């Protein structure tokens, strides 16, 4: 039974979420919009928890609190340094456009809300089906089983999408100095010394957790990426000899390992992504480890936002003198 | 009622004022340095009391240890972030409130 | 106990709503970042309480992730505004 | 089960808010935020509907939303890189429009 207070919580939380989304879209200052969006994704994780979706909540917490916030703030700073800190004025409409858009949105709202009535009152869902085949999947957690076994091609293509994103970002521009000047702080250095091992450890913990409970490669990769971001913020760079072929190989490693595991099936007379029965667990775990590494690097590269250049550090340091010092 | 439950309830109820104080401080204090001071009360004491209250209810010591780890991590992050934000504000030329304005 | 935890979680959600006023008012970006930081801590507390109220302690893993990452966004913010001198110089150049 | 309906309705409204933001604002960063909010609305409908099954929630929509979150991150990062490039090349970060004409 849901206690009354929890019900109140469930009424207040969506209201706050809607308010945050609305303010994030309408506030004139873009920095405020970004902060409101960060708060929005934070509370969204609470909503996933309330809806009993711990995997999604973990992913939202890991990505929303770490990578997305950094991604938005870094991009906003770059946009503002190029285009100036400018208020984004609220929309001014031609009246015909306003009427058209308003009607379309209201019609869509009415249609979607009305379609709620079409939902079956006693839904069966695919849960029982998944549970029946869980033993064959090699892992004990239904969501991981769906992700890496039953619907493995989704996950394969999703990693492909991430890889393509990294390639697209690298095509767009060369990496610019990540910090305009190094963030020199003894405290941050000490903080990183403590946090980086902890983040590495918890990333491994989430990965291990994924085989029998909520967790998994993407969540683990987000934690790892957050660790790399912390290092970047305190001025770390990848040496030039690593930022060429080795980095590129590591970026594609996860995708190709998954692909290799996927075509074991056709080679041994099974369907694509059907693993040999005795090898399911080790294969899934190996693929997850490599995926974690690659996804973490892809996310970090996305925040850096550009490709490494020839013989320089990646990302390049803020001043040429620092380059000599650090190498 | 189990004395452990009573202790838990006392700790949990004691936590609420600190979060409220943190929020009110955030709203009412005059500048960013004072607001940092209010914020860290929620980080350290508010969350700490909740962690203690819940740790008393935990079935195994591992669960209590996990709760304590969460608290330590939040305190560690809170302290670092408070320092960095204060430093940034100071370098950006904001003068701490001196009670005159 | 369940009722108490749920009630406290609700109370904390209300304090988040109050904290939104500071994001609205600012006046500086640092103030807004502070509110987001407070939301992070409050979010951790809400997750812990909800985990207790509904007897699902694996939600504490979500709280753990929150706690681990609560510094990342703020440090990104600081590194964005930190070069106070350089940014000031650039603004002066543009202004003149 | 009314709780799941509340979240479903909230998800639908989020999606429409996002659509409005995507259409109404010229600034690229705002459009990216709006598209993210649209996505969150869709995810919320998925998860809320998955929660209606008796017993444990349906794991298949959860897995699909996880995939969706990853794709959202990928799209957000590419869109942001594009916006930065546009801002660097043209010194502005919004689409030309009526505001421009009036200036």
């Amino acid at each position: 039974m849901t206690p009354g207070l929890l019900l109140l919580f469930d009424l207040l939380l969506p209201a706050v979420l809607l308010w945050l989304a609305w303010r994030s879209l309408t506030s004139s200052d873009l920095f405020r919009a970004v902060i409101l969006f960060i708060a929005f994704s934070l509370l969204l994780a609470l909503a996933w928890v309330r809806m009993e979706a711990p995997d999604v909540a973990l992913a939202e917490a890991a990505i929303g609190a770490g990578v997305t916030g950094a991604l938005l703030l870094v991009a906003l700073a770059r946009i503002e340094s190029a285009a100036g800190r400018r208020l984004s004025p609220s929309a001014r409409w031609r009246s015909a456009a306003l009427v058209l858009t308003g009607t379309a949105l209201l019609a869509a709202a009415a249609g979607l809300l009305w379609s709620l009535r079409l939902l079956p009152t006693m839904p069966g869902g695919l849960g029982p089906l998944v549970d029946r085949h869980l033993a064959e999947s090699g892992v004990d957690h239904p969501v991981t089983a769906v992700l890496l076994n039953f619907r493995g091609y989704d996950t394969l293509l999703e990693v492909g999408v991430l890889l393509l994103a990294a390639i697209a970002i690298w095509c767009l521009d060369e990496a610019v100095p990540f910090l305009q000047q190094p963030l020199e702080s003894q405290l941050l250095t000490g903080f990183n010394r403590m946090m980086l091992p902890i983040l590495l450890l918890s990333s491994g913990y989430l990965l291990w957790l994924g085989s029998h409970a909520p967790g998994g490669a993407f969540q683990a990769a987000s934690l790892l990426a957050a660790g790399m971001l912390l290092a970047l913020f305190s001025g770390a760079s990848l040496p030039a000899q690593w930022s060429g072929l080795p980095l590129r190989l590591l970026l594609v490693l996860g995708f190709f390992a998954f692909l290799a595991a996927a075509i074991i099936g056709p080679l041994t007379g099974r369907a694509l992504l059907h693993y040999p029965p005795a090898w399911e667990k080790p294969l899934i775990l190996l693929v997850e480890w490599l995926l974690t590494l690659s996804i973490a690097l892809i996310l970090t590269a996305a925040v850096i936002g550009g490709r490494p250049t020839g013989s320089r550090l990646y990302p390049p340091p803020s001043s040429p003198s620092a380059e000599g010092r650090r190498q | 009622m189990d004395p452990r439950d009573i202790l838990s309830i006392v700790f949990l109820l004691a936590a609420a004022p600190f979060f409220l104080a943190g929020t009110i401080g955030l709203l009412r204090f005059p500048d960013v340095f004072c607001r940092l001071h209010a914020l860290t009360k929620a980080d350290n004491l508010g969350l700490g009391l909740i962690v203690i209250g819940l740790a008393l209810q935990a079935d195994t010591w591992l669960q209590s240890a996990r709760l304590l780890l969460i608290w330590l991590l939040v305190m560690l992050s809170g302290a670092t972030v408070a320092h960095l934000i204060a430093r940034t504000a100071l370098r950006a030329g904001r003068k701490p409130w001196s009670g005159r304005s | 106990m369940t009722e108490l935890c749920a009630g406290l979680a609700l109370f904390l959600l209300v304090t988040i709503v109050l904290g939104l006023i500071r994001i609205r008012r600012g006046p500086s970006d640092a103030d807004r970042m502070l509110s987001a930081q407070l939301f992070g801590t409050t979010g951790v507390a809400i997750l812990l309480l909800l985990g207790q109220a509904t007897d699902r302690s694996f939600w504490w893993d979500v709280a753990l992730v929150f706690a681990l990452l609560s510094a990342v966004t703020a440090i990104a913010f600081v590194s964005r505004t930190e070069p106070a001198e350089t940014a000031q110089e650039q603004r002066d150049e543009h202004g003149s | 089960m009314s709780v799941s309906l509340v979240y479903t309705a909230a998800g639908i409204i989020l999606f429409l808010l996002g659509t409005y933001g995507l259409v109404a604002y010229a600034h690229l960063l705002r459009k990216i935020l709006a598209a993210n909010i649209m996505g969150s609305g869709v995810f919320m409908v998925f998860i809320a509907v998955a929660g209606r099954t008796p017993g444990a929630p349906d794991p298949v929509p959860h897995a699909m939303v996880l995939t969706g979150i990853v794709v959202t991150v990928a799209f957000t990062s590419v869109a942001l890189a594009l916006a930065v490039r546009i801002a660097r090349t043209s010194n502005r970060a919004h689409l030309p429009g009526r505001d421009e004409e009036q200036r």
Side-chain angles (χ1 to χ4, degrees), chain B residues 8-9 12-13 16 19-20 23 26-27 29 32 35-36 39 42-43 47 50-51 54 57 63 66-67 69-70 73-74 77 81 84-85 87-88 91 94, chain C residues 1 4 8 11-12 15 18-19 21-22 25 28 31 34-35 37-38 41 44-45 48-49 52 57 60-61 64 67-68 70-71 74-75 78 81-82 84:
Chain B
S8 270
I9 291 172
L12 287 178
L13 284 179
F19 278 99
L20 191 63
T23 309
L26 196 68
L27 291 179
F29 279 171
V32 69
R35 286 178 204 138
L36 268 173
L39 174 74
D43 275 357
L47 191 64
I50 284 186
V51 160
L54 293 181
Q57 293 287 314
Q63 294 212 338
R66 186 156 56 151
L67 283 170
L69 176 67
I70 291 173
L73 284 170
V74 168
S77 305
V81 164
L84 286 173
I85 288 184
R87 202 180 69 160
T88 307
R91 288 196 181 168
R94 314 198 69 190
Chain C
M1 206 63 200
L4 178 67
L8 268 178
F11 169 76
L12 293 183
T15 66
L18 290 178
I21 301 173
R22 180 49 70 196
R25 278 202 208 142
S28 72
D31 293 300
L34 277 188
S35 327
Q37 193 66 25
L38 181 62
T41 308
V44 170
L48 293 179
L49 288 167
Q52 179 75 30
S57 70
W60 293 354
D61 285 331
L64 182 67
L68 280 167
S70 61
I75 292 177
V78 171
T81 39
E82 178 69 359

Side-chain angles (χ1 to χ4, degrees), chain D residues 87-103:
Chain D
R88 252 197 225 128
T89 315
S90 66
N91 280 334
R92 64 164 192 226
H94 55 92
L95 299 181
R98 207 177 173 204
D99 294 350
E100 208 78 355
E101 293 161 25
Q102 285 172 346
R103 246 171 236 149

Side-chain angles (χ1 to χ4, degrees), chain A residues 7 10-11 13-14 17-18 21-22 24-28 30 33-34 37 40 44 47-48 50-53 55-56 59-60 63 71-72 75-76 78-79 82-83 86 88-94 101 105 108-109 112-113 116 119-121 123-127 130 142-143 146-147 158 161-162 165 169 172-173 176 218-219 299 302, chain D residues 2-3 5-10 12-27 29-30 32-34 36-37 40 43-44 47-49 51-54 57-71 73-78 80-85 87-88 91-94 98-99 101-103:
Chain A
L7 188 67
D10 285 328
L11 289 175
L13 186 57
L17 279 171
L18 287 175
W22 173 247
S24 167
L25 288 174
T26 54
S27 70
S28 57
L30 279 172
V34 167
F37 182 76
F40 171 79
L44 201 55
W48 301 146
R50 281 301 303 142
M51 285 184 271
E52 315 238 343
D55 295 88
V56 183
E60 186 76 47
I63 205 77
L71 203 60
L72 285 169
L76 179 65
R78 287 186 182 154
I79 288 175
R86 141 187 349 231
S88 167
S90 55
R92 260 178 272 155
W93 291 88
R94 290 191 175 87
T101 315
L105 283 179
L112 286 170
L113 287 172
L116 286 182
L119 289 173
T121 42
L126 294 165
V130 171
V143 176
V146 172
L147 274 178
E158 150 201 323
V161 166
L162 271 176
I169 292 168
L172 278 171
D173 217 342
V176 293
F218 181 65
Q219 291 90 331
L299 291 174
Chain D
S2 61
V3 169
L5 265 186
V6 170
Y7 281 106
T8 315
I12 290 173
I13 300 172
L14 273 181
F15 175 78
L16 295 168
L17 274 182
T19 316
Y20 166 79
L22 194 65
V23 175
Y25 289 92
H27 199 283
L29 192 76
R30 184 88 70 186
I32 295 169
L33 290 183
N36 265 292
I37 288 172
S40 306
F43 299 156
M44 190 171 272
I47 297 289
V49 171
R52 294 175 77 243
T53 49
D58 194 343
V60 177
H62 286 193
M64 288 169 90
V65 168
L66 270 184
T67 309
I69 289 180
V70 180
V71 173
V73 174
F75 126 78
T76 308
S77 59
V78 173
L80 284 173
L82 264 172
V84 170
R85 191 81 173 96
R88 252 197 225 128
N91 280 334
R92 64 164 192 226
H94 55 92
R98 207 177 173 204
D99 294 350
E101 293 161 25
Q102 285 172 346
R103 246 171 236 149

Side-chain angles (χ1 to χ4, degrees), chain B:
Chain B
M1 206 184 220
D2 191 354
R4 216 171 55 160
D5 280 355
I6 297 174
L7 260 180
S8 270
I9 291 172
V10 169
F11 277 117
L12 287 178
L13 284 179
F18 286 103
F19 278 99
L20 191 63
T23 309
I24 291 179
L26 196 68
L27 291 179
R28 297 290 303 156
F29 279 171
D31 74 352
V32 69
F33 304 100
C34 298
R35 286 178 204 138
L36 268 173
H37 164 80
L39 174 74
T40 42
K41 297 297 155 291
D43 275 357
N44 299 347
L45 275 166
L47 191 64
L49 289 169
I50 284 186
V51 160
I52 294 172
L54 293 181
L56 287 172
Q57 293 287 314
D59 305 323
T60 61
W61 66 268
L62 255 176
Q63 294 212 338
S64 315
R66 186 156 56 151
L67 283 170
L68 284 176
L69 176 67
I70 291 173
W71 181 34
L72 286 177
L73 284 170
V74 168
M75 278 206 292
L76 192 62
S77 305
T80 312
V81 164
H83 164 73
L84 286 173
I85 288 184
R87 202 180 69 160
T88 307
L90 209 56
R91 288 196 181 168
R94 314 198 69 190
K95 299 271 181 294
W97 183 69
S98 56
R100 279 190 295 274
S101 56

